[in-house]
Amino acid sequence: MYITGVKDKINFTAGKVEVFSDFDGTYCPARHSSLHDVNSDGFMPEYCDRIDKFLKSTEGDLHFNITTGRTYGEYECISWLLRMRNFRLPFPETLITKDGSDRLIRNGSDSDFYERGVFPFSYDRTLKEKEEHIKSMTNWDGAGIHDELKRLVGKYKIRLVEADSQNSVFDYGDRSLFSEGKLNPEDWRNLPSRDGHILEHQTPVAEYVLGSRNDGNLKFYLVFPPDYGYCPERNWIYDNFMDDLRAYMSSKNIHYNMEWEGPEQYNKFRISCSITPQFENGPLTKLYDTKEAVKKALKNDDVVITAGDGSNDFDMLNPLRYLDKDFLTECEKNSKNKTFYQKDMQGKLEDLQKIYNGDNSTYIKALRQELTQNGFLRKLEELPLYSIVIKKEHSKLQPLIDTFGRIGKVIEVETGRIDDGIKKAIKNYAEKNKMFRDAMSSGFQSLILGAKKKICRTKKL
């Protein structure tokens, strides 16, 4: 009789990796503008092939997600551009649009798109769990708000224009708000002006219209005519329109964040307004999805990896943003160095950088001792979170590299080497966390740690 060695622990969740990567400049190293030039981006075929092999070799162990500043329509446009260049960049399992808005679930394969032209995402296939959770916290109902928006434009007899992007027609064609038949990009030129400044005027000049960018169920972005703010008659109408929209949100007890952007040349001198569910006393951002993932990773002995290259990635890459609020409140309550907790983010990072660099000034020595004793530093280092920053000059993310690079929580890589950063992050965590390492599949261990697969032995009785 022979007995075969059997693994004595079956865990269907532990030892997994959840990656959230920015798209432009991070996962896709080719610039949008250069993709129009058939003689550029010669590195892309090798890059796409390497990423494809990496994701296939980690299938089942690593779950890859894109979190982008693009709308769904903008992402689809650049995907078609990649296909036109025969750059077969693998698609993620989920796509999070417009800095934390809808999370779309892939419903097709790479070959469906690159060989048959069937795009693997659709507007109506989103992660309902995310939308329901946000609704439970804020009462946000995207469909209901959109219906009210359409009712109000009817009430005020405003022409509503909806499209996927407020950016150039050259890049997005008829999916741009400024394409033919939508918003007139030259409307501002008809307004009275002096020395480059638009003047207040009594008679409306610009078209009576409202632009709405398709940001999904979880965000709204409204673009007003260029004479809003300069013409009392137009001001009255659009002010009342927005007052009615606010009244609707209030009547539904919706907790929302509203931010305005002033008129500038790059936005065709049009005031715009962004409306999102309220998240941590501000707008909904990329941080929502990654924080939720870290909460799950803490329960399941998994790890989360974030990757980015721009200022809109700062929060999701910053380990400080993942510490439990109750823990921080308790630390501050018992602190003899309360100024640390009261500093802005830049101030906190500067103090931590000095701690990790071995600064021995009186304040830093006392703070180091306190943050060691109260577990602050330990919790930071034990977070199942690693961040990858793409190296570039004058990076807005440099404070994160300078602070957390020394302890390996933030990893800097060259453009086009995101896979190297992911491997390094997983290795760092596996070497520190035995439960995660032991739960990794043998093939995953071999790929990341260079470990040999276990040999199944038999024993004769």
Side-chain angles (χ1 to χ4, degrees), residues 260-318:
W260 293 83
E261 184 178 11
E264 300 287 347
Q265 187 166 358
Y266 75 88
N267 61 19
K268 321 299 181 188
F269 294 100
R270 293 171 180 264
I271 292 173
S272 60
C273 174
S274 177
I275 310 169
T276 81
Q278 190 174 74
F279 172 64
E280 297 190 350
N281 298 317
L284 184 64
T285 68
K286 292 183 177 186
L287 184 62
Y288 170 85
D289 295 275
T290 54
K291 285 194 81 167
E292 289 299 306
V294 167
K295 290 176 186 177
K296 293 178 181 178
L298 282 166
K299 296 177 182 178
N300 299 330
D301 293 319
D302 293 337
V303 66
V304 175
I305 298 172
T306 61
D309 76 322
S311 58
N312 66 329
D313 302 314
F314 194 98
D315 282 350
M316 80 164 183
L317 297 170
N318 184 2

Side-chain angles (χ1 to χ4, degrees), residues 152 156 236-248:
L152 289 175
Y156 288 97
W236 184 87
I237 293 172
Y238 287 107
D239 285 348
N240 278 278
F241 172 88
M242 290 304 297
D243 285 345
D244 283 0
L245 184 58
R246 290 188 189 93
Y248 168 82

Side-chain angles (χ1 to χ4, degrees), residues 1 4 7 84 101 107 118 123 155 170 207 226 235 291 339 362 369 381 435 453:
M1 178 179 179
T4 304
K7 187 175 180 180
M84 183 185 73
S101 186
N107 57 8
V118 180
Y123 266 123
K155 173 182 176 180
F170 175 77
E207 184 188 5
N235 295 349
K291 285 194 81 167
T339 54
T362 303
Q369 182 178 12
E381 294 182 25
M435 293 184 69
K453 293 183 178 181

Side-chain angles (χ1 to χ4, degrees), residues 427-447:
K427 184 177 181 181
N428 285 355
Y429 192 62
E431 289 175 345
K432 292 182 178 181
N433 189 304
K434 186 177 184 299
M435 293 184 69
F436 172 80
R437 182 175 67 251
D438 291 348
M440 294 170 72
S441 69
S442 58
F444 198 30
Q445 280 195 18
S446 179
L447 176 69

Side-chain angles (χ1 to χ4, degrees), residues 320 340-353 376 403:
L320 277 179
F340 169 75
Y341 300 95
Q342 294 161 5
K343 289 182 178 182
D344 62 14
M345 185 56 69
Q346 185 62 36
K348 289 187 178 75
L349 291 173
E350 288 174 357
D351 282 353
L352 285 172
Q353 183 181 336
F376 186 101
T403 304

Side-chain angles (χ1 to χ4, degrees), residues 68-91:
T68 178
R70 292 177 176 272
T71 65
Y72 168 86
E74 290 171 337
Y75 176 79
E76 183 179 1
C77 282
I78 200 170
S79 297
W80 284 102
L81 194 53
L82 288 165
R83 182 178 186 267
M84 183 185 73
R85 294 290 306 278
N86 198 29
F87 296 158
R88 298 173 65 105
L89 187 63
F91 284 99

